[in-house]
Amino acid sequence: MPELVYPPVITAAKTMFRVLDLRLKVEGSHHVPRTGGAVLASNHVSYLDFIFCGFGAHPSRRLVRFMAKHEVFAHKISGPLMRGMKHIPVNRRAGAASYNAAVDALRGGEVVGVFPEATISRSFTVKDLKNGAARMAQDAGVPLLPVALWGTQRLWTKGRPRTLTRRHTPVTILVGEPIDPAAFPDANEMSAELKARLTALVDRAQREYPDSPAGPDDAWWQPAHLGGTAPTPEEAAALDRPARRTPAA
């Protein structure tokens, strides 16, 4: 079927990049295969990461079908767009159906995008990964590519106000070499390899990033181990933990 929704959305995103004069750095996009299925597994620091992860596949002329929580598909505005772009809804109460839909898409030659950390990392470091991305690559027999994003958190992230009109922000997109599922019969081992490669890519993106915080009040977007004031991984885990209800007296 013809793509009626995705191309105009890409055009709108590129227009936004130009208007905001985002300083995009894209490396490794040649790793995205021009034909056939593949899984793109990205770190997650911003609500906008799907836009930039998908942009990393654009030089290969591939449209990425992202897995996203089903609430996004239920929204009256985002829902029709998500369905029109053939993204894949994830219902945690019916996870098998979402997983099977993703594997079917991969076997059909689609590129599927996932965020294996499941939620945004408040510490801006790579969290423990779910092994679903590795299992999908194994079941479909397609490569698994790590994707590192950096700078997107400065536009919109968890616990911070949106700054979608921020101009001249550098954004780094690094696509790593593909991981061959045939080399990893165990999904947990493959997921561990993914985390190692993803962590190395994110660390490189952070250390090569052309901007530094303007001062103490601007250090929130920098991870603690690089001198920023973002929560440590331990502090971030505590913030993400559901609050316990106090028993009634």
Side-chain angles (χ1 to χ4, degrees):
M1 295 179 63
E3 296 284 349
L4 300 178
V5 178
Y6 220 140
V9 170
I10 291 174
T11 299
K14 287 183 173 181
T15 300
M16 179 189 76
F17 297 163
R18 287 194 296 270
V19 169
L20 297 180
D21 190 29
L22 298 184
R23 293 151 58 192
L24 294 171
K25 173 185 176 180
V26 183
E27 288 189 13
S29 57
H30 63 281
H31 291 308
V32 180
R34 289 185 173 270
T35 61
V39 178
L40 300 188
S42 173
N43 69 313
H44 203 7
V45 294
S46 168
Y47 291 109
L48 303 177
D49 285 340
F50 70 98
I51 297 175
F52 295 97
C53 180
F55 188 72
H58 190 64
S60 292
R61 301 184 181 277
R62 302 305 302 272
L63 300 177
V64 184
R65 317 299 179 181
F66 284 95
M67 300 186 75
K69 58 185 181 180
H70 74 280
E71 289 87 353
V72 180
F73 291 80
H75 192 274
K76 63 181 181 180
I77 296 176
S78 62
L81 288 173
M82 295 294 282
R83 288 188 290 273
M85 289 185 282
K86 303 175 187 175
H87 295 313
I88 303 167
V90 176
N91 187 337
R92 292 182 180 177
R93 295 181 180 179
S98 304
Y99 178 88
N100 291 336
V103 172
D104 287 344
L106 291 167
R107 288 173 175 163
E110 298 282 7
V111 177
V112 173
V114 297
F115 297 100
E117 295 168 282
T119 58
I120 288 174
S121 171
R122 296 175 187 261
S123 68
F124 305 136
T125 60
V126 179
K127 300 164 59 176
D128 288 338
L129 308 185
K130 308 291 184 183
N131 69 5
R135 289 191 293 113
M136 285 190 297
Q138 289 178 331
D139 287 348
V142 301
L144 172 63
L145 284 72
V147 180
L149 304 176
W150 191 245
T152 60
Q153 77 277 19
R154 300 177 71 188
L155 301 173
W156 188 14
T157 192
K158 184 180 289 186
R160 300 288 305 186
R162 283 176 288 185
T163 53
L164 299 181
T165 58
R166 179 186 179 88
R167 292 174 53 80
H168 317 304
T169 305
V171 171
T172 302
I173 305 165
L174 304 180
V175 183
E177 294 184 2
I179 303 172
D180 182 359
F184 294 90
D186 182 78
N188 289 327
E189 290 183 7
M190 188 175 181
S191 192
E193 177 68 13
L194 171 63
K195 183 177 181 181
R197 295 196 192 188
L198 195 54
T199 299
L201 281 175
V202 170
D203 183 69
R204 180 189 152 203
Q206 291 170 339
R207 294 182 185 279
E208 295 180 357
Y209 193 67
D211 270 10
S212 299
D217 292 340
D218 188 45
W220 62 268
W221 57 268
Q222 192 82 305
H225 72 276
L226 292 180
T229 56
T232 65
E234 295 75 20
E235 292 168 341
L239 289 170
D240 287 337
R241 209 170 289 134
R244 294 182 179 178
R245 293 183 180 180
T246 304

